[in-house]
Amino acid sequence: MIRWSAPVAVAGVIALIASGVFSADANPNLAPQTAGQLLASVSQASTPPFSGTVVEKASLGLPELPNLGGDNSTNSQGLLSLLSGSHTTRIWYGGETKQRIALLDSLGEQDVFRNGRDLWQWDSDTRVATHAVLPAGAAAERPVPLQTSSLTPAQAAAEALQMIDSTTTVTTDHTGSVAGRSAYTLVLTPKDSQSLVGSVRLSLDGATRVPLGVQVFARGSDRVAFDVSFTQVRFSTPGDEFFTFNPPPNATVKQGTLDTLPQLPNPAAGSGTGRVRKLGTGWTTIMRIDGVGDLTGSKARAATGSSQNALTFLSALPTVSGTWGSGHLFSSALVNGLLTSDGRLFVGSVPPQLLYQAAAQK
Amino acid sequence: MSVAEPLTKPVLAVGGRFLLSEIGMQLRRRRNQLILAVLAAVPVIIGIAVKLTTHDGAGATGGLIGNITNNGIFVAFTALIVVIPIFLPMAVAVVAGETVAGEASLGTLRYLLAVPVGRTRLLLTKFAAMGFWCLLITSVVALAGVIIGVILFPSAHVTLLSGTQATLLGGVGRLVGMVLYAALMMLAVAAIGLFISTLTEVPIAAMAATLTVAIVMQVLVAVPQLHAIHPWLISDHLLNLADLLRDPLRVSGLRDGALLAVGYVVVFGSLAWARFTTKDVTS
């Protein structure tokens, strides 16, 4: 009988190791900072060269959602896909004119290489390499907004920091550890009770003040609803080999300009299908996207591949109607969405009533 | 046998001979030879199918399969990724389920235990033979893939998933990495099989149970709501194999998978040990 204690002990030890009891999570020894000091240092901080892996996770209690809007790639991660599952991105940042971003699929990859004036985009599924040369002069010296479907902690933090005004309470919390680095924690809490966002926690690297992670909590919930954080980061200059790209022999090479470059679907910009407008300000901002799909027509307008799937999915959502018309409501703890029957999509961290009000204004 | 043979030698020699005889038994079994043949056929079928459906680079599709026309070594990469979710666990389950239960059902287990070899060592030898089998099945797929790839397709530089290129040597290195990783993941399945095999005297039952465990894991991974337990399932880490085709190599996924496999081996290995060393062998 005593022998059976061996496997039990082994399993116990493994569980202990996995739970992180033994991991040397260095007690972050950071000098105390006030929220004001942190905010000031974030706005002044310039991003040092780094390389790392970012994992973005959304757990709103929703099933896996089909892609919405991104119809230029089978793996496109559209607006809705940000709301479920997890996405992994590798980033190399060598300075303002040297960047590489790789979006990982389980058996594929989409890459953007920027080296000086050269911009390459690569998709391993279609094996299409698209090249663009940035205009000479000042533009070539600045970072270009690389359109990717995944948020980085820095982008998410910038979005959150924009919200800071009289409607937000900013506090600090005890320091933590992100990707093995000591980090300050800044907590933004919306005062507006209409907002579904309970709080946003920013993790700022203790040494560089670079945002290492952003976590969003829904109102009245202590579980992370949305998280974009580095799982691994190194602040050192990546070698030049990370930024150079030569199209492989069997690739289809296309030439483009920055504008015509097939952009990786960007959920923050509404995936490019239809027009995006912001209604309202602050935490209760509602995104309005026109021309998503005409569900009343005999055939949906954007009836290609994933968009069709998304429309099928959306039409299966509960139907709602009111003086504003009728449509389908997509509802979760953190984000609500309303797709009206005339193809307008309203998304925001607000109760459905506010979406109905927005829909009432044509 | 010479009379002057030292007395200390048998300990290791018996162990080595025992392992060799186990491996020999594996290889002589008609069933196992058939498994190897089927596994070797997978890359051959993939290679021929791609060759027949593409004409001089035209019509090449995307993804891993599309890369085959560019470099034959991709037949091996693709074949490994195709066989790892079900075929390889099946090949492992059949042999692992046999290990102890097979001897018990034939009535040879008690004769085996009559040899002056401890039960612990017997189990270790059986498991070592399983390790050889795991490495053999993954190598057979890779090797058949490379051979058919080199015959049918050009082989120069290897285009990685990131769109960058590795030399042929680098590509072969990555293939060796894939074979080792796949073998380690299969060793985890083998450990489960070994444990189940100590529970029964019916080898078919042990094989079926082991395969069921492997398939159930696949099913669980397909359910997004069970996200929380996914990192603990072997099947969730199998396709990390593709991380070896990225540039630069992505180590974290492979490391997680390898650690998990070692965890399974240790837990189920110790379970098998606890069961086998306390078991009454009656047949």
Side-chain angles (χ1 to χ4, degrees):
Chain A
M1 225 34 227
I2 192 116
R3 299 202 169 209
W4 286 96
S5 56
V8 174
V10 167
V13 168
I14 289 178
L16 276 179
I17 293 172
S19 68
V21 171
F22 299 133
S23 70
D25 227 12
N27 186 24
N29 271 328
L30 296 173
Q33 296 261 299
T34 65
Q37 283 170 321
L38 282 177
L39 280 177
S41 59
V42 171
S43 57
Q44 284 161 13
S46 64
T47 312
F50 69 90
S51 54
T53 306
V54 170
V55 175
E56 176 251 297
K57 267 183 270 183
S59 34
L60 303 176
L62 295 168
E64 292 282 338
L65 299 170
N67 299 321
L68 174 72
D71 35 15
N72 51 354
S73 159
T74 48
N75 292 302
S76 61
Q77 300 156 334
L79 181 65
L80 282 180
S81 80
L82 255 192
L83 299 178
S84 69
S86 124
H87 305 285
T88 305
T89 312
R90 300 170 91 186
I91 303 175
W92 292 264
Y93 183 85
E96 298 203 319
T97 60
K98 282 183 184 176
Q99 291 115 41
R100 179 179 159 199
I101 293 179
L103 311 182
L104 308 188
D105 292 324
S106 69
L107 293 178
E109 201 171 304
Q110 290 167 286
D111 287 68
V112 180
F113 294 81
R114 158 102 197 263
N115 192 1
R117 290 180 59 198
D118 285 310
L119 194 63
W120 279 99
Q121 195 191 319
W122 163 257
D123 185 335
S124 75
D125 288 315
T126 56
R127 284 213 315 283
V128 173
T130 313
H131 183 217
V133 179
L134 301 178
E141 302 301 318
R142 287 204 310 272
V144 290
L146 293 181
Q147 300 285 352
T148 69
S149 70
S150 212
L151 285 167
T152 64
Q155 286 164 340
E159 287 283 324
L161 291 172
Q162 270 182 14
M163 300 289 202
I164 294 182
D165 54 19
S166 55
T167 66
T168 310
T169 314
V170 185
T171 52
T172 57
D173 200 351
H174 55 82
T175 52
S177 171
V178 178
R181 293 182 66 92
S182 306
Y184 288 109
T185 311
L186 208 53
V187 185
L188 316 184
T189 315
K191 287 178 188 162
D192 191 342
S193 61
Q194 293 270 42
S195 169
L196 296 182
V197 176
S199 64
V200 178
R201 295 172 68 90
L202 306 184
S203 300
L204 306 172
D205 185 55
T208 63
R209 298 294 194 275
V210 170
L212 294 180
V214 175
Q215 295 177 316
V216 184
F217 293 78
R219 187 169 291 275
S221 162
D222 54 359
R223 284 185 51 207
V224 183
F226 181 82
D227 182 1
V228 50
S229 298
F230 279 101
T231 54
Q232 208 180 323
V233 68
R234 268 188 67 201
F235 286 98
S236 64
T237 311
D240 264 353
E241 71 272 17
F242 290 105
F243 306 107
T244 45
F245 180 82
N246 295 307
N250 61 340
T252 312
V253 180
K254 291 181 180 169
Q255 294 293 330
T257 65
L258 189 54
D259 297 326
T260 61
L261 206 61
Q263 301 196 323
L264 300 176
N266 181 359
S271 313
T273 30
R275 294 183 303 124
V276 183
R277 271 188 283 165
K278 280 185 178 176
L279 311 173
T281 55
W283 295 97
T284 52
T285 303
I286 295 171
M287 303 269 276
R288 173 181 165 160
I289 305 163
D290 286 352
V292 172
D294 189 354
L295 292 175
T296 55
S298 55
K299 57 178 193 287
R301 259 170 52 197
T304 50
S306 58
S307 296
Q308 183 61 68
N309 287 339
L311 289 180
T312 314
F313 166 78
L314 285 169
S315 16
L317 288 169
T319 313
V320 285
S321 64
T323 50
W324 49 269
S326 66
H328 296 281
L329 183 70
F330 158 86
S331 156
S332 72
L334 188 63
V335 179
N336 284 328
L338 174 70
L339 180 68
T340 61
S341 52
D342 54 357
R344 292 175 298 153
L345 179 65
F346 298 89
V347 182
S349 291
V350 294
Q353 287 74 24
L354 290 190
L355 295 179
Y356 301 155
Q357 283 173 24
Q361 296 154 15
K362 287 286 172 187
Chain B
M1 192 183 280
S2 85
V3 189
E5 197 165 62
L7 280 171
T8 47
K9 195 179 168 189
V11 177
L12 263 183
V14 166
R17 270 215 310 275
F18 189 16
L19 178 60
L20 282 181
S21 92
E22 278 289 317
I23 291 171
M25 227 156 61
Q26 263 177 13
L27 296 182
R28 276 193 302 274
R29 285 203 79 126
R30 206 33 80 70
R31 185 175 61 200
N32 295 357
Q33 290 167 359
L34 200 64
I35 289 175
L36 290 175
V38 169
L39 286 174
V42 171
V44 174
I45 292 169
I46 293 176
I48 291 173
V50 171
K51 184 73 179 175
L52 289 180
T53 52
T54 52
H55 316 284
D56 301 322
T61 49
L64 280 175
I65 294 242
N67 259 325
I68 289 175
T69 51
N70 188 42
N71 193 310
I73 200 171
F74 264 87
V75 178
F77 293 149
T78 312
L80 270 176
I81 285 169
V82 166
V83 296
I84 200 168
I86 293 292
F87 276 113
L88 289 186
M90 204 184 280
V92 169
V94 167
V95 179
E98 179 84 27
T99 44
V100 178
E103 302 266 9
S105 77
L106 289 173
T108 48
L109 190 54
R110 53 184 159 153
Y111 296 114
L112 204 52
L113 292 177
V115 179
V117 170
R119 288 192 182 191
T120 306
R121 184 116 65 82
L122 178 69
L123 203 65
L124 280 175
T125 310
K126 291 270 185 195
F127 193 63
M130 279 311 303
F132 173 80
W133 176 249
C134 292
L135 208 53
L136 180 67
I137 54 178
T138 47
S139 309
V140 159
V141 175
L143 207 61
V146 168
I147 292 171
I148 193 78
V150 166
I151 293 173
L152 294 179
F153 302 103
S155 36
H157 290 263
V158 182
T159 304
L160 301 168
L161 290 179
S162 310
T164 51
Q165 297 204 294
T167 57
L168 188 60
L169 197 67
V172 171
R174 283 164 192 260
L175 183 61
V176 170
M178 282 174 99
V179 166
L180 292 176
Y181 181 77
L184 183 60
M185 296 315 281
M186 288 308 113
L187 198 62
V189 178
I192 299 175
L194 185 70
F195 169 56
I196 295 177
S197 186
T198 61
L199 297 178
T200 170
E201 287 175 5
V202 188
I204 286 287
M207 291 174 201
T210 310
L211 188 58
T212 306
V213 170
I215 290 173
V216 164
M217 283 199 203
Q218 285 287 347
V219 172
L220 293 181
V221 162
V223 182
Q225 279 78 3
L226 298 175
H227 190 257
I229 61 164
H230 287 177
W232 295 98
L233 302 174
I234 298 173
S235 47
D236 193 44
H237 298 269
L238 294 180
L239 291 184
N240 292 358
L241 209 58
D243 284 352
L244 277 156
L245 294 178
R246 302 188 196 280
D247 181 34
L249 217 97
R250 183 157 181 257
V251 186
S252 59
L254 299 168
R255 186 198 53 210
D256 292 353
L259 282 176
L260 184 76
V262 170
Y264 268 86
V265 167
V266 176
V267 169
F268 282 93
S270 60
L271 277 171
W273 172 80
R275 164 73 185 163
F276 188 59
T277 49
T278 55
K279 171 181 178 168
D280 288 333
V281 175
T282 52
S283 59

